[in-house]
Amino acid sequence: MSLELSGVTYVVGRTLLDDVSLTFPAGKVTALSGPSGSGKTTLLSIAGGLLQPTSGSAELDGVDTWTGTGDPRPEFAFVLQVYGLVPILSARENVSVALRARGVAPDEADEHAEAALARFGIADLGERQVEELSGGQMQRVACARGFVVGADVLLADEPTSELDEGNRAVVLAELRAEAARGAVVVVATHDPAVVEACDLHHALDEGRLVQMVR
Ligand SMILES: Nc1ncnc2c1ncn2[C@@H]1O[C@H](COP(=O)(O)OP(=O)(O)O)[C@@H](O)[C@H]1O
Ligand SMILES: [Mg+2]
């Protein structure tokens, strides 16, 4: 399985992505690096089917990721840069809803949600309303929610930006575990330590791919 971008260009007034072609293979963690504003979030959004490319395509095993609505296919899970959590729900509920939305029974979803929070060291925060949490704690809830569904493709947008070194290492280990079970894992980051921990690396600058190494 692989996620493949071919000649992806995205124009809104100006060109945010310019003819980007690359492959994200299953079983590997791929870093997507680049300075702020280089197009990382835009690229992940197109890869995950949240945005339609102006030209070119993003395909998972030959099937277009864009469904025509901006709703991602069920094969995709996200850790978004803005977290996308529901502030008035508890941490556990925020994780649990990702499973319930995929048809998992509530009790079972809650159990898996607890386990996912534990993976990120925040089992004790399950009952807390998300709006009371710190930025780093919210980021870990967002990680738990992205990881809990066991998706074929996990797209994580700067998932460690608010974390200390210890928690960053936890998230990196969990990203590796997702790849080890065969998922396509992509991590947008501008942290060299995160890039170093990935198997593959692509870099963006001003919407263009600048490097195809490792
Ligand atoms: N919907 C939009 N309309 C216009 N400009 C946008 C839009 N979304 C993002 N941008 C701009 O596109 C560039 C790339 O943004 P982004 O993909 O968020 O970069 P990164 O994630 O690397 O910081 C930035 O200059 C940003 O301001
Ligand atoms: Mg971004």
Side-chain angles (χ1 to χ4, degrees):
M1 190 179 55
S2 71
L3 176 58
E4 201 155 335
L5 274 55
S6 310
V8 167
T9 295
Y10 190 69
V11 181
V12 274
R14 62 195 180 86
T15 300
L16 303 187
L17 291 174
D18 188 4
D19 193 22
V20 175
S21 296
L22 46 74
T23 299
F24 299 117
K28 304 277 186 203
V29 182
T30 304
L32 181 65
S33 72
S36 181
S38 59
K40 301 183 297 296
T41 295
T42 306
L43 184 60
L44 285 192
S45 301
I46 289 171
L50 305 177
L51 284 177
Q52 182 178 30
T54 305
S55 61
S57 66
E59 296 182 346
L60 181 64
D61 284 344
V63 178
D64 225 308
T65 65
W66 174 253
T67 61
T69 61
D71 291 331
R73 296 187 184 281
E75 291 87 350
F76 289 80
F78 300 83
V79 179
L80 298 175
Q81 200 169 7
V82 290
Y83 310 147
L85 301 171
V86 183
I88 59 159
L89 294 183
S90 72
R92 192 188 56 238
E93 287 165 332
N94 267 279
V95 179
S96 184
V97 290
L99 289 168
R100 295 182 194 202
R102 288 163 195 254
V104 177
D107 284 355
E108 194 185 335
D110 284 351
E111 257 175 55
H112 288 298
E114 295 277 3
L117 291 171
R119 283 168 76 177
F120 295 97
I122 46 172
D124 57 322
L125 300 181
E127 298 295 327
R128 295 269 296 278
Q129 249 174 273
V130 156
E131 64 189 358
E132 298 171 357
L133 302 180
S134 72
Q137 289 169 335
M138 285 186 203
Q139 189 159 44
R140 288 147 79 194
V141 175
C143 283
R145 193 188 47 184
F147 283 65
V148 75
V149 293
D152 292 344
V153 181
L154 178 62
L155 303 175
D157 199 355
E158 309 211 19
T160 63
S161 59
E162 303 265 340
L163 303 184
D164 57 55
E165 215 172 306
N167 282 307
R168 184 176 65 189
V170 168
V171 171
L172 286 169
E174 293 295 341
L175 288 164
R176 304 203 64 81
E178 292 298 291
R181 67 165 176 78
V184 173
V185 180
V186 185
V187 192
T189 186
H190 53 242
D191 181 346
V194 174
V195 172
E196 193 54 43
C198 295
D199 303 308
L200 302 162
H201 177 208
H202 298 286
L204 279 177
D205 191 27
E206 296 186 349
R208 290 203 185 87
L209 216 46
V210 291
Q211 189 184 0
M212 297 276 269
V213 295
R214 272 213 283 154

